[in-house]
Amino acid sequence: MGSVYIHIGARGGSKQIKNKNLLKLNNKSLIGIAINQARLAKKNCKVVVSSDSMKILKVAENYRADILIKRPKNLSKSYISKFLVWKHSANFLKKNYSL
């Protein structure tokens, strides 16, 4: 059986709350909580974080996300479909990790 990859998309921009993925709840950032929950959901998974924000990717690295993907700005608008973001990540994984 192949590896399981859990994808977390986290835009830097937000219409409602600025830098919401970096906000803390009980001393953990929202992106950190998402990474921890992904690990609880599936043991021995690979956690992939895709973001247009280097700050978010740095925090994700601190929470030991396995793969960090710098998303281009054209895929970071509020109206962009999640499917296009997943497709970008899948192509990145295929190219860089031979998946």
Side-chain angles (χ1 to χ4, degrees), residues 4-6 8 35 38-39 42-49 57 60-69 92-93 97:
V4 173
Y5 291 79
I6 297 178
I8 300 170
I35 292 167
R39 295 216 185 277
K42 182 71 178 170
K43 300 294 183 201
N44 301 318
C45 67
K46 301 283 187 194
V47 177
V48 179
V49 175
L57 292 173
E61 181 180 46
N62 291 341
Y63 277 91
R64 298 188 330 268
D66 298 296
I67 300 171
L68 305 173
I69 300 173
F92 177 91
L93 293 171
Y97 292 89

Side-chain angles (χ1 to χ4, degrees), residues 6-94:
I6 297 178
H7 182 271
I8 300 170
R11 282 191 323 117
S14 175
K15 287 183 172 183
Q16 300 293 320
I17 302 171
K18 186 175 170 91
N19 294 315
K20 69 180 172 194
N21 289 300
L22 299 174
L23 292 179
K24 294 197 175 193
L25 184 64
N26 292 332
N27 291 322
K28 291 186 180 176
S29 65
L30 293 182
I31 189 66
I33 292 169
I35 292 167
N36 289 341
Q37 289 300 310
R39 295 216 185 277
L40 288 173
K42 182 71 178 170
K43 300 294 183 201
N44 301 318
C45 67
K46 301 283 187 194
V47 177
V48 179
V49 175
S50 167
S51 182
D52 61 316
S53 166
M54 290 306 295
K55 288 180 183 178
I56 290 173
L57 292 173
K58 182 64 178 166
V59 172
E61 181 180 46
N62 291 341
Y63 277 91
R64 298 188 330 268
D66 298 296
I67 300 171
L68 305 173
I69 300 173
K70 179 71 166 92
R71 191 184 326 162
K73 291 288 182 191
N74 67 318
L75 292 177
S76 300
K77 308 293 184 199
S78 62
Y79 55 83
I80 296 296
S81 75
K82 287 179 178 57
F83 175 77
L84 292 176
V85 175
W86 294 329
K87 185 176 176 182
H88 174 264
S89 294
N91 288 335
F92 177 91
L93 293 171
K94 185 176 179 182

